């Protein structure tokens, strides 16, 4: 898979929140494809992060799609609030959701795009029945909850498996990975079949600036998958 079709989705979890608008504008100028917003409630994952007011503020300053990664116990309860704030699409976890099909269809009824997320310990097979209904699959390459974690290489065979499943059942569906993406791991994920890379600390934590960090990631993908 070539670099031209790989999309970068900066995760603002590691942004400087005192300069959030500026930083999002910078990644937009640097060619980000979408903005990844990590929502955590301290229950579904052992961390809390941000809610709909952040989406509402960002909606005013960027044209990029605001993709909302729902790491919360009851995503259904908050969908309307995030839609009103300006979320364009939702990533909802398979884990802990006994009514995933209903959640996905609620999102679609709200006129938004739906993606399904699986954690590192969850097998690809659970995606088979929901895949026709979603636009995106996100394979977590770390356990969700925190930035700055190391990429789990054990997820690579699963990424390959999900890619095959997508080609068979839902060609055109995005395959994203999230967690531990850097110059070393991005080419591995792309070679395994990912076409969307969510990246937080490698972009917003870079001392050379977010634009340079994104360029380095793109170069690493080209070099690593040539
Ligand atoms: C982790 C979040 C990620 C996080 C990735 O639970 O879902 O989106 O921001 O951060 P890095 O890129 O630092 O692993
Ligand atoms: Zn995320």
């Amino acid at each position: 898979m070539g670099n031209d079709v790989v999309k970068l989705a900066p995760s603002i979890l590691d942004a400087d929140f005192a300069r959030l608008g500026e930083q999002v504008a910078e990644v937009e100028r640097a060619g980000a494809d979408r903005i990844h917003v990590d929502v955590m409630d301290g229950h579904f994952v052992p961390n809390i992060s941000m809610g709909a007011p952040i989406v509402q503020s960002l909606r005013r300053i960027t044209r990029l799609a605001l993709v909302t990664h729902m790491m919360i116990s009851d995503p259904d309860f908050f969908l309307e609030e995030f839609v009103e704030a300006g979320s364009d699409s939702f990533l909802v976890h398979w884990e802990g959701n006994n009514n995933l099909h209903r959640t996905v269809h609620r999102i679609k009824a709200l006129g938004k795009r739906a993606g399904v997320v699986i954690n590192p310990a969850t097998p690809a097979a659970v995606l088979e029945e929901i895949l026709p209904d979603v636009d995106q699959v996100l394979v977590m390459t770390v356990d969700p909850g925190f930035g700055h974690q190391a990429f789990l290489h054990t997820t690579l065979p699963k990424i390959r498996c999900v890619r095959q499943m997508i080609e068979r059942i839902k060609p055109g569906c995005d395959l994203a990975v999230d967690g531990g993406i850097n110059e070393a791991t991005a080419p591995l994920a792309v070679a395994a079949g990912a076409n969307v890379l969510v990246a937080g600390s490698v972009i917003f934590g870079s001392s050379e600036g977010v634009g340079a960090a994104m360029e380095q990631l793109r170069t690493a993908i080209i070099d690593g998958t040539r």
Side-chain angles (χ1 to χ4, degrees), residues 76-158:
D76 292 35
F77 194 71
F78 288 93
L79 293 175
E80 272 92 353
E81 189 180 336
F82 276 94
V83 167
E84 272 168 37
S87 290
D88 296 285
S89 68
F90 292 92
L91 293 165
V92 289
H93 277 256
W94 178 86
E95 297 81 10
N97 192 338
N98 293 329
N99 298 287
L100 182 63
H101 181 271
R102 178 179 291 140
T103 303
V104 163
H105 282 273
R106 278 204 179 133
I107 293 168
K108 292 167 88 164
L110 289 165
K112 303 300 167 188
R113 294 161 71 90
V116 64
V117 189
I118 53 172
N119 280 344
T122 303
V126 304
L127 298 168
E128 184 103 18
E129 281 73 20
I130 198 69
L131 197 48
D133 295 327
V134 297
D135 300 297
Q136 184 174 173
V137 171
L138 172 59
V139 174
M140 290 304 299
T141 42
V142 299
D143 285 306
F146 302 92
H148 294 266
Q149 299 184 87
F151 182 90
L152 295 169
H153 287 74
T154 48
T155 59
L156 285 169
K158 183 164 66 177

Side-chain angles (χ1 to χ4, degrees), residues 9-14 36-40 45 47 69 71 93 117 138 140-151 177-182 198-203:
S11 157
I12 58 169
L13 188 62
D14 208 48
H36 184 91
V37 181
D38 287 304
V39 178
M40 307 178 183
V45 288
N47 195 9
H69 181 182
M71 287 167 276
H93 277 256
V117 189
L138 172 59
M140 290 304 299
T141 42
V142 299
D143 285 306
F146 302 92
H148 294 266
Q149 299 184 87
F151 182 90
V177 289
D178 184 5
I181 294 298
N182 56 34
V198 178
S201 52
V202 78
I203 293 176

